[in-house]
Amino acid sequence: MELCRAVRTDPQWQELPIVFLTAHREMETVQQVFAVGGDDYVVKPVVGAELLARITHRLERSRLLQSLSTKDPLTGLANQFQSNRDLQHLIAQAEKNQQSVCLIILSVTDFRQINIKYGHQAGNEVLQRWSRLFQSAFCSGEVLGYWGNGEFVVGVSGLTKTEVNHRLSEILTTLRQQIFTAFDGDRFQVICNFAVVEYPNDGLTIQSLYQVAAGHNS
C-alpha cells in the first residue's frame, strides 16, 4: 500500500499501471487498494491466464490513455503539453552537456484562410502531409510537436542556428513544392513561415525562445 502511494505521488512514475495480487478478500482491503491508486485487484490463488489477461488489458488501456493525452489526434505528433515537456528536457540535457539547442517554429501561412476558402478537410490534409514530411526529415532524436493553428515546433540539440538554417533549406523547398487539392477540385500551394532561435543565446526558457521566434517569423 505504501509503495503504491509513493509511486502515485512521483511525477515521473505516477502513470505506471499497478495491479495488486493479494490473499485478502475483505471489502475494506479492496477499498484501500483503489484509494491508494491501484488499477486492478487480483485475489490469490490466481490462474496464470487470468493474471496475464488482466495485465495485458491494463497495459493496453494505459498506452491508449497515454497516447490520447500526449499526442495530437490529427497529425500524430506530440501535442503542446508533451512536446513542451520534451523540449524542457532537451534544454536541461544541453545545459548539463554545455550544448546549444535550436528551436524551430514552422507554421502554415494564413491557415485560417485556407480552411475558409478550401474547407477544413483541405486544411487537415496540409497538416497531415506536413507532419509526415517533418517526421521523415527529423528522425534522429529531435523533439517534434504540433501546437495547433497550423504551427509545428522542432527542437534540435548540438547544432548552431547557422547549421539548422542550412538543414532547413531542403525541407522548406519540399514544402513549397507540395500541391494540394480542395474538395471542389481547386489546386493550391501553401507558404511556410519559419523562425529559428538558439538556446542559450536567444533565451533560457521555452517561453522566452518562443517569444523571440514569434518576433522573427519569416
Side-chain angles (χ1 to χ4, degrees):
M1 298 289 187
E2 290 302 317
L3 177 57
C4 182
R5 186 180 287 110
V7 170
R8 286 291 177 253
T9 57
D10 188 306
Q12 184 176 357
W13 297 106
Q14 61 185 0
E15 301 300 327
L16 184 73
I18 298 176
V19 177
F20 274 82
L21 182 63
T22 176
H24 297 282
R25 297 172 177 269
E26 59 275 12
M27 184 55 66
E28 183 180 349
T29 302
V30 176
Q31 291 174 342
Q32 191 176 1
V33 162
F34 291 112
V36 298
D39 292 299
D40 205 351
Y41 175 89
V42 183
V43 178
K44 295 188 287 188
V46 66
V47 178
E50 179 191 356
L51 181 60
L52 180 61
R54 283 175 177 264
I55 291 175
T56 301
H57 171 74
R58 182 52 55 185
L59 288 174
E60 289 175 350
R61 180 173 174 77
S62 177
R63 291 190 188 104
L64 175 62
L65 291 174
Q66 184 177 29
S67 177
L68 290 173
S69 64
T70 61
K71 285 188 177 183
D72 172 68
L74 182 62
T75 64
L77 302 179
N79 60 23
Q80 183 172 4
F81 174 77
Q82 182 61 40
S83 55
N84 191 61
R85 287 180 59 179
D86 294 339
L87 287 168
Q88 289 174 348
H89 179 70
L90 201 67
I91 285 180
Q93 289 296 110
E95 183 180 12
K96 181 179 178 181
N97 300 325
Q98 295 186 324
Q99 289 181 315
S100 62
V101 169
C102 284
L103 178 66
I104 310 168
I105 308 294
L106 300 130
S107 58
V108 180
T109 304
D110 297 328
F111 182 61
R112 183 170 178 271
Q113 293 305 313
I114 290 173
N115 282 329
I116 293 172
K117 185 175 182 179
Y118 300 108
H120 283 83
Q121 186 58 44
N124 290 347
E125 171 60 25
V126 172
L127 297 179
Q128 290 171 339
R129 194 183 302 180
W130 276 31
S131 172
R132 292 192 294 269
L133 289 170
F134 291 150
Q135 289 180 80
S136 297
F138 302 107
C139 54
S140 303
E142 299 90 347
V143 172
L144 181 56
Y146 179 65
W147 282 13
N149 297 318
E151 188 172 75
F152 296 82
V153 297
V154 185
V156 183
S157 63
L159 297 179
T160 64
K161 192 189 300 186
T162 302
E163 291 170 327
V164 168
N165 273 310
H166 178 72
R167 184 177 171 187
L168 270 179
S169 59
E170 184 178 343
I171 300 168
L172 293 170
T173 299
T174 302
L175 292 179
R176 294 187 186 108
Q177 291 173 342
Q178 301 300 304
I179 299 175
F180 300 91
T181 304
F183 181 78
D184 59 4
D186 281 355
R187 292 161 68 82
F188 65 97
Q189 291 177 284
V190 179
I191 300 172
C192 176
N193 281 346
F194 76 97
V196 181
V197 288
E198 185 178 344
Y199 164 91
N201 298 334
D202 295 319
L204 299 177
T205 66
I206 303 300
Q207 183 61 31
S208 61
L209 288 168
Y210 181 84
Q211 289 172 343
V212 173
H216 292 86
N217 219 297
S218 62

